[in-house]
Amino acid sequence: KAMCSGRLQTALLVAGYFVYLLVGAAVFQALERTAEKQEKMAAAQMKEAFLQNFTQLTVAEMEQFMKNLIEAIQNGVYPVGNESQFEESNWDFSNSFFFAGTVVSTIGYGTLHPKTAGGQIFCVFFALFGIPLNIVFLHRVGKMLSLLCKKLGKFLYEKGMRKKQIKFLTLLFFLATGILVFLCLPSVFFQITEGWSYSEGIYFAFITLSTIGFGDYVVGKQSDRKYFSYYRVLVAIWILFGLAWIALLFNL
């Protein structure tokens, strides 16, 4: 009964956690998408005006254009290419879910952030409740993985191994498996999808899972590459379970 109850609690926690992220993503999308569209239209008009009059601009007007351009880029608007690129949103559902995941995991790349007053206030409350929920989620998943460690240890003990050897081999097994699953293989995936070198993929994976999150490398941000639907959702799920693996290592 206790085991069934524990499994039910775990299932409810995992379901509740992902529902929380899905709801957060939907709210961020609703609050930010319209404002972003207006920013993109303004950036497109600014670019068009510049292309028409760039030979006649004064130094002061040129400097103002550069300031506006830098501000647009900081807000995630890249006025590059044709108008069809302006139709692609930084706040579609995939990107919004990715952003919600980086908020509760405290990675905070800084490349995508809410700019409306409503989005910023919601982000405060979303993080206020989401960060503790994320800690509980990681603790529970880490606890489940530690049960696998105990089963592995019991199996090795029955084979006649000493306890010190079992502890060392268990730690080594989960360390090696985690490095393969959460660092080495995803880096190949990022190399193919993002066009990065393998070392850049390893660097991004480590900086992300360690929650440092410099923001110098972020997935799905290159305007000249085509990404499949829900690419960033998959990356967000990889981040969450990668953090659970790191929590398990600390427990071990």
Side-chain angles (χ1 to χ4, degrees):
K1 283 184 178 179
M3 190 177 288
C4 288
S5 176
R7 285 177 179 173
L8 180 62
Q9 286 177 359
T10 301
L12 289 173
L13 176 63
V14 171
Y17 180 72
F18 279 98
V19 167
Y20 188 81
L21 290 179
L22 290 169
V23 170
V27 174
F28 280 122
Q29 184 181 21
L31 291 171
E32 295 295 323
R33 200 162 187 175
T34 303
E36 182 202 35
K37 199 168 186 180
Q38 291 171 350
E39 278 188 18
K40 285 191 172 185
M41 287 175 65
Q45 289 169 359
M46 177 186 73
K47 178 184 175 182
E48 189 178 345
F50 172 78
L51 291 174
Q52 288 176 353
N53 304 307
F54 71 94
T55 55
Q56 302 168 7
L57 292 178
T58 63
V59 173
E61 288 172 334
M62 189 66 186
E63 286 184 350
Q64 186 60 48
F65 170 77
M66 294 298 291
K67 285 179 184 177
N68 293 340
L69 181 63
I70 290 167
E71 188 179 342
I73 292 169
Q74 286 174 340
N75 289 332
V77 177
Y78 302 91
V80 180
N82 54 35
E83 289 184 8
S84 65
Q85 290 185 331
F86 287 94
E87 298 301 317
E88 296 174 6
S89 176
N90 289 320
W91 290 102
D92 60 19
F93 190 77
S94 181
N95 285 329
S96 299
F97 185 88
F98 181 78
F99 173 74
T102 60
V103 169
V104 298
S105 61
T106 70
I107 294 171
Y109 291 115
T111 53
L112 185 64
H113 51 274
K115 291 171 280 292
T116 65
Q120 290 169 349
I121 294 298
F122 176 74
C123 188
V124 170
F125 287 100
F126 181 76
L128 193 63
F129 294 101
I131 292 170
L133 177 61
N134 182 63
I135 292 168
V136 173
F137 169 78
L138 294 180
H139 176 72
R140 181 55 69 99
V141 174
K143 205 171 178 181
M144 286 172 61
L145 292 173
S146 67
L147 290 175
L148 293 176
C149 290
K150 285 180 181 178
K151 286 182 179 179
L152 177 62
K154 189 178 178 182
F155 172 77
L156 293 174
Y157 185 74
E158 287 171 354
K159 293 293 180 182
M161 278 195 183
R162 288 181 296 174
K163 285 188 176 180
K164 283 187 178 180
Q165 286 179 317
I166 290 170
K167 284 182 179 179
F168 175 75
L169 286 173
T170 302
L171 179 60
L172 186 65
F173 172 75
F174 278 94
L175 181 63
T177 304
I179 287 172
L180 179 66
V181 173
F182 294 109
L183 290 177
C184 296
L185 292 179
S187 298
V188 175
F189 177 69
F190 296 135
Q191 185 180 15
I192 295 166
T193 310
E194 297 288 343
W196 298 337
S197 66
Y198 186 71
S199 61
E200 287 173 324
I202 288 279
Y203 168 77
F204 167 76
F206 176 78
I207 292 299
T208 294
L209 296 184
S210 61
T211 70
I212 296 170
F214 288 127
D216 49 349
Y217 288 86
V218 182
V219 295
K221 296 298 289 181
Q222 299 183 64
S223 57
D224 59 336
R225 297 188 79 88
K226 288 288 181 184
Y227 300 101
F228 61 87
S229 299
Y230 300 108
Y231 166 55
R232 298 188 103 195
V233 170
L234 290 176
V235 175
I237 292 169
W238 160 74
I239 289 171
L240 298 174
F241 283 97
L243 292 174
W245 165 65
I246 288 175
L248 169 68
L249 288 182
F250 284 128
N251 286 337
L252 289 176

